[in-house]
Structures are given as C-alpha cells and as structure tokens.
Amino acid sequence: MEEQQKKLGITLPPDVAEGTYANLALIAHSESEFIIDFIRAMPGIQQPTVKSRVIMTPDNVKKLLAALSENVSNYEQKFGPIKGNKPMEVPFGFGGGKGEA
C-alpha cells in the first residue's frame, strides 16, 4: 500500500492521518454509487452522528471489498480468527440498509 501511495503521489495531511474512530458503518446504494456512512455510536448518546461519508462507484467498491478480504485474511493468518461475526442490528432507530461494523 505504501509503495502504491508513492507511485500515485498521494498526500496524507496531518489532520486526516489522525483518523476518525467509527464502530458502525451504514451502507446504501443506487445504480451508480455506493454511500458508506461511518458512525461512532457511544453509550448514552441517543442520536450518534455520521463522522465520515464515502461515496464510491460500484467498480471501486468491488475493488475495496477484494482489498478488505485480502487484508482480513492476512490479519487472521498473523493474529488468529476475528471473533464476533454475529449479524448486527441497526441501533438507535437508524433507517436505511443493514448496519455493518
């Protein structure tokens, strides 16, 4: 990944490099795009807010899915299986698609 970033000349500003913690992702799609909302849901907060929204083409989402699958496989080979793969219900009365964390 780092090598690919150098080839593309990608800049990572310090404020973006800090990252944003999210423990819930809500995904919606149309024929032409996928919308992924990253949310931080915390105990005691009745209405969590979207911390980041990413909009991607279906082709790029499929590439992301493949990259995530490969990275999860590499992670599990190194650290063991990731636990907690039970289906998740969308909390707090959020509408839209099925929630994934």
Side-chain angles (χ1 to χ4, degrees):
M1 177 76 164
E2 200 172 292
E3 185 177 312
Q4 184 180 10
Q5 286 179 345
K6 288 179 184 177
K7 287 181 185 177
L8 294 175
I10 294 173
T11 301
L12 183 60
D15 61 324
V16 175
E18 288 181 20
T20 299
Y21 178 76
N23 54 8
L24 176 67
L26 298 179
I27 303 168
H29 67 276
S30 67
E31 184 178 343
S32 59
E33 63 196 13
F34 278 75
I35 301 165
I36 309 168
D37 287 334
F38 293 94
I39 298 159
R40 184 181 314 138
M42 304 298 279
I45 298 176
Q46 292 297 332
Q47 192 169 3
T49 58
V50 173
K51 295 298 180 180
S52 182
R53 172 173 277 187
V54 177
I55 303 169
M56 301 176 75
T57 64
D59 182 56
N60 284 332
V61 167
K62 195 152 191 179
K63 290 175 185 173
L64 174 62
L65 178 61
L68 284 170
S69 180
E70 181 181 337
N71 276 270
V72 166
S73 178
N74 292 343
Y75 176 95
E76 289 184 325
Q77 285 177 8
K78 187 172 183 177
F79 301 108
I82 298 172
K83 296 175 176 50
N85 290 330
K86 65 181 179 178
M88 184 176 167
E89 293 183 27
V90 179
F92 307 109
F94 282 106
K98 184 177 180 182
E100 301 290 333

